[in-house]
Amino acid sequence: MSKQALLHDNNTDTDTDNDVENGTTIDKNTRRSRPNGSSYVKLRTVLTSALAILGIAALAIIGWQWRTTSNELDSVRSSAADSTHAEQVALDYAAGAAQMDFKDLGPWKTRLTQGTTPELSNRLTQAASSMEQIITPLQWVSTASPIAAKVRSESNGAYAVDCFVSVLTKSTQTPDGVQSTATYQLTIDSANGWAITEIRGIDSALGTEKGAK
């Protein structure tokens, strides 16, 4: 082989080696410029975990808000139901207490003390005996129908209720009857089995001034 041909082969080999070396260098640089597979997987895992945590936190907040709102609504409903019950207790009592017949005062006396505390019941029994001295001579007969009741205030489960009863009264002085509205003020203790602890207005239905309290 001629000297010129040998030089040509050597140059070719040198160029090939340089290309390989250059190619290897380019590949290494390319690999260095990109994140390797392990780093990419770790980054993706971190992002996925962060999104999951944020999702769980959001659900927890929504759940807490829902429970809070639900508890508040339950409290409002319970309070409204208790007020309604107190009003009904007061109205039923007032209508019964305003109804009497001088010919048979036993049922009236029973209604007068029904649902009251023992202490108040004793006072009402004494008041009934005093009123009987007025009712019997006047031949007092009254019928009553409830009008309305409204809770005026509430404190520690004790409800102050105003209630109004329509009363038709007949006596020797008013044989044709007199229509009037009796007003009762009652205090009802929900913590004591919804017992009536105080009453004002019993005597007002009879046209007198003193009430039971």
Side-chain angles (χ1 to χ4, degrees):
M1 184 182 291
S2 65
K3 183 178 182 180
Q4 185 175 0
L6 289 173
L7 290 174
H8 176 75
D9 291 339
N10 289 334
N11 289 337
T12 301
D13 294 338
T14 302
D15 291 341
T16 301
D17 292 339
N18 287 338
D19 289 342
V20 172
E21 291 176 359
N22 289 338
T24 302
T25 303
I26 291 172
D27 291 340
K28 289 180 179 180
N29 289 336
T30 301
R31 286 197 295 269
R32 287 177 187 151
S33 64
R34 298 176 183 174
N36 58 43
S38 177
S39 298
Y40 179 75
V41 171
K42 289 181 179 179
L43 178 60
R44 185 174 181 178
T45 301
V46 170
L47 291 175
T48 302
S49 299
L51 290 175
I53 292 172
L54 289 175
I56 293 172
L59 289 175
I61 292 173
I62 292 172
W64 174 79
Q65 289 178 335
W66 181 85
R67 286 193 298 272
T68 300
T69 301
S70 179
N71 290 338
E72 290 176 351
L73 289 175
D74 289 343
S75 178
V76 170
R77 293 192 189 101
S78 178
S79 178
D82 287 345
S83 294
T84 299
H85 185 68
E87 291 168 352
Q88 191 62 53
V89 169
L91 200 56
D92 289 345
Y93 175 86
Q99 184 170 319
M100 65 189 72
D101 186 340
F102 77 98
K103 295 177 183 179
D104 184 11
L105 293 175
W108 170 67
K109 291 179 179 180
T110 298
R111 292 191 299 271
L112 195 63
T113 59
Q114 189 171 14
T116 63
T117 59
E119 182 182 0
L120 179 59
S121 179
N122 290 334
R123 296 202 304 267
L124 288 171
T125 298
Q126 295 174 7
S129 298
S130 298
M131 288 189 288
E132 188 175 358
Q133 299 176 12
I134 300 173
I135 294 169
T136 301
L138 291 177
Q139 299 182 8
W140 195 290
V141 177
S142 64
T143 56
S145 58
I147 298 176
K150 183 66 177 178
V151 171
R152 183 174 69 254
S153 64
E154 183 273 332
S155 178
N156 297 324
Y159 292 81
V161 185
D162 294 331
C163 53
F164 307 91
V165 178
S166 177
V167 182
L168 177 62
T169 303
K170 294 182 180 181
S171 67
T172 55
Q173 296 179 341
T174 55
D176 294 332
V178 175
Q179 190 74 46
S180 63
T181 299
T183 302
Y184 294 84
Q185 297 175 341
L186 294 86
T187 300
I188 302 170
D189 187 3
S190 63
N192 189 21
W194 297 95
I196 300 170
T197 60
E198 184 178 350
I199 302 172
R200 292 177 180 272
I202 292 293
D203 289 341
S204 67
L206 300 176
T208 58
E209 295 181 357
K210 185 177 180 181
K213 62 177 180 177

